[in-house]
Amino acid sequence: IVTINVFLTDKDKAMIREIIEKIRKNKKITKFRQDLLKITNEELFELNSSLENKEECIEYICKKLTELNYTESSFIKEIYERENLSSTSYGSFAIPHSIHFSAKKTGIYILISNKGIAWNDNTAKIVFLMCFSSGERRIFNDIFGPIASILNDPASVDKLSQCRSYSEFISLLSSLFAE
């Protein structure tokens, strides 16, 4: 509720604009969080410091996604097809994904490695391996950009890589989106 004067002033207009922006921002945050919760879950979140390099990581996560019935076993070829176009590692994080929307179910496998995973010339602390079904193009468009933007900030990657649970990670990722 915004209380304004009988005669609308510039101060009233500013208050109205501020409240409208706050509502819009809260809607965006809520939508981002809902989309995250729709395509992630605890079985798609893992702390793992045993993986040494990009290949081990991609093979490991693709196998998990196939076992969890998110993808076919051929999905790994699509990940490498995209990876061969250009690296999906950006400093201390990697977002491997297919250029096809061929997954059985949409999901993001989130892996955090304390020691890091050698990924071409980088060391990834966080890996978001994304798989999208053909009916989920909207979520891909709505979620990929914000996640990449959040991870572009090294301080955000450091904070996220310290998370020790799925719920802690999602809460922090959502709050970083709000900033």
Side-chain angles (χ1 to χ4, degrees):
I1 297 174
V2 178
T3 306
I4 58 173
N5 293 303
V6 175
F7 300 104
L8 195 62
T9 66
D10 287 342
K11 184 178 178 184
D12 294 332
K13 291 176 188 175
M15 285 190 328
I16 292 168
R17 276 192 293 276
E18 186 178 316
I19 293 297
I20 289 170
E21 274 310 305
K22 190 175 184 180
I23 291 168
R24 283 184 181 151
K25 185 176 182 181
N26 285 338
K27 278 186 171 185
K28 282 176 124 176
I29 293 166
T30 300
K31 179 94 176 71
F32 179 74
R33 186 174 174 83
Q34 286 172 341
D35 284 346
L36 270 180
L37 292 172
K38 184 177 179 182
I39 62 174
T40 64
N41 58 53
E42 288 193 43
E43 71 181 357
L44 298 176
F45 177 85
E46 182 174 350
L47 305 174
N48 185 326
S49 291
S50 68
L51 301 170
E52 298 288 328
N53 58 50
K54 167 180 78 172
E55 292 77 16
E56 279 184 25
C57 183
I58 289 172
E59 288 173 27
Y60 176 81
I61 295 175
C62 285
K63 183 179 179 196
K64 288 276 207 172
L65 288 171
T66 300
E67 289 169 358
L68 294 168
N69 205 32
Y70 279 81
T71 63
E72 298 287 347
S73 59
S74 60
F75 181 70
I76 192 168
K77 291 177 189 166
E78 295 178 22
I79 295 295
Y80 280 119
E81 178 185 353
R82 167 60 185 89
E83 194 68 32
N84 289 333
L85 292 174
S86 66
S87 178
T88 57
S89 171
Y90 311 92
S92 57
F93 68 94
I95 309 179
H97 59 283
S98 170
I99 55 176
H100 309 286
F101 290 85
S102 62
K104 294 179 186 178
K105 295 189 294 189
T106 294
I108 299 177
Y109 199 100
I110 302 162
L111 187 136
I112 297 174
S113 174
N114 286 339
K115 72 175 186 170
I117 298 166
W119 206 290
N120 297 342
D121 296 332
N122 298 315
T123 302
K125 291 182 182 179
I126 302 174
V127 176
F128 281 76
L129 197 144
M130 300 182 169
C131 62
F132 289 92
S133 66
S134 60
E136 302 287 3
R137 290 177 191 266
R138 181 205 54 83
I139 290 179
F140 175 80
N141 292 333
D142 291 351
I143 209 107
F144 187 86
I147 287 174
S149 180
I150 291 165
L151 296 175
N152 245 355
D153 176 19
S156 294
V157 175
D158 286 340
K159 289 176 190 174
L160 288 165
S161 68
Q162 299 305 311
C163 290
R164 294 292 159 250
S165 71
Y166 168 74
S167 59
E168 180 186 5
F169 188 88
I170 294 301
S171 291
L172 180 56
L173 189 62
S174 298
S175 70
L176 291 169
F177 176 75
E179 292 178 358

